[in-house]
């Protein structure tokens, strides 16, 4: 019997994360979720079970806690890929609390990338944002549009995050990544 590929979904109890988790389960993947429940609730796991018939494993902790993340990966060393949705995402809040956004969104990403290297996890899907295009010159925005200065700390964390990922994949022979810009 073939083992199901295990996918880690960070922020998996959030809106996009929970829908992605349900789709992954329905397509034969084994889903593990890490979420700090900052902007969601653990009952979402029960709703995923109602939809799919399978209750994904939930670990509630902050990805900025490197010790807890290392411990998690030590116990779950068979993860095939990570889909990273976990981030603070309110533009106005990011303007009021920029350091909170930089710490959360960037430290969590760096921790994940370091763990990918340490535990040999090859694939990352990064939830970025169309905010990386700044105020685009023309609509609709295509992927050919130039990146511009972000209009908020939130958007800047996504631009910086993409740069961190790009630099990491260029220096790594094993890590591959793609950024989704909704």
């Amino acid at each position: 019997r073939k083992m199901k590929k295990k996918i880690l979904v960070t922020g998996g109890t959030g809106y996009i994360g929970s829908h992605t988790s349900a789709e992954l389960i329905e397509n034969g993947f084994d889903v593990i979720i890490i979420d700090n429940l900052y902007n969601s609730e653990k009952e979402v796991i029960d709703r995923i079970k109602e939809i799919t018939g399978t209750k994904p494993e939930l670990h509630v902790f902050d990805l900025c806690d490197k010790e807890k993340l290392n411990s998690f990966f030590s116990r779950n060393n068979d993860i095939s890929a990570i889909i990273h949705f976990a981030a603070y995402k309110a533009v106005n809040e990011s303007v009021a609390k920029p350091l909170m956004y930089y710490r959360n969104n960037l430290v969590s990403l760096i921790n994940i990338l370091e763990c990918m290297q340490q535990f040999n996890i090859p694939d990352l899907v990064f939830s970025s944002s169309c905010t990386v295009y700044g105020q685009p010159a023309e609509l609709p925005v295509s992927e050919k549009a130039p990146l511009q200065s972000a209009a908020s700390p939130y958007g800047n964390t996504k631009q910086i995050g993409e740069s961190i990922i790009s630099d990491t994949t260029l220096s790594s022979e094993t890590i591959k990544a793609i950024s989704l810009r909704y």
Side-chain angles (χ1 to χ4, degrees), residues 113-114 116-118 120-123 164-177:
L113 289 166
E114 287 176 344
M116 287 180 72
Q117 290 176 327
Q118 184 178 343
N120 298 313
I121 301 166
D123 298 313
I164 291 169
I165 291 167
S166 177
D167 291 343
T168 302
T169 57
L170 286 172
S171 72
S172 171
E173 293 182 17
T174 57
I175 296 176
K176 298 185 302 283

Side-chain angles (χ1 to χ4, degrees), residues 88-99 101-102 105-106 129-135 148-160:
Y88 293 161
K89 64 181 184 351
V91 170
N92 290 342
E93 183 181 54
S94 80
V95 172
K97 301 175 180 177
L99 293 177
Y101 271 67
Y102 285 112
N105 293 4
L106 298 177
S129 167
C130 69
T131 60
V132 300
Y133 297 110
Q135 294 298 322
Q148 299 184 48
S149 291
S152 69
Y154 164 74
N156 203 26
T157 68
K158 293 302 182 175
Q159 283 186 340
I160 294 167

Side-chain angles (χ1 to χ4, degrees), residues 60-76:
V60 179
F61 68 91
D62 191 326
L63 294 167
C64 292
D65 186 331
K66 185 72 184 289
E67 280 185 35
K68 282 189 180 163
L69 194 59
N70 275 331
S71 176
F72 167 84
F73 281 111
S74 295
R75 293 185 318 274
N76 295 277

Side-chain angles (χ1 to χ4, degrees), residues 103-121:
R103 172 174 282 114
N104 183 73
N105 293 4
L106 298 177
V107 171
S108 63
L109 174 63
I110 291 167
N111 286 348
I112 284 170
L113 289 166
E114 287 176 344
C115 285
M116 287 180 72
Q117 290 176 327
Q118 184 178 343
F119 295 96
N120 298 313
I121 301 166

Side-chain angles (χ1 to χ4, degrees), residues 40-57:
S40 60
E41 52 196 30
K42 67 178 184 283
E43 289 74 22
V44 169
I45 297 295
D46 298 325
R47 292 199 282 282
I48 293 172
K49 184 178 185 210
E50 287 172 23
I51 294 166
T52 65
T54 300
K55 187 173 186 173
E57 196 176 304

Side-chain angles (χ1 to χ4, degrees), residues 132-133 140-147 162 178-182:
V132 300
Y133 297 110
V141 176
S142 78
E143 289 184 3
K144 291 181 177 74
L147 301 186
E162 286 190 20
I178 190 162
S179 294
L180 303 177
R181 296 173 176 166
Y182 335 93

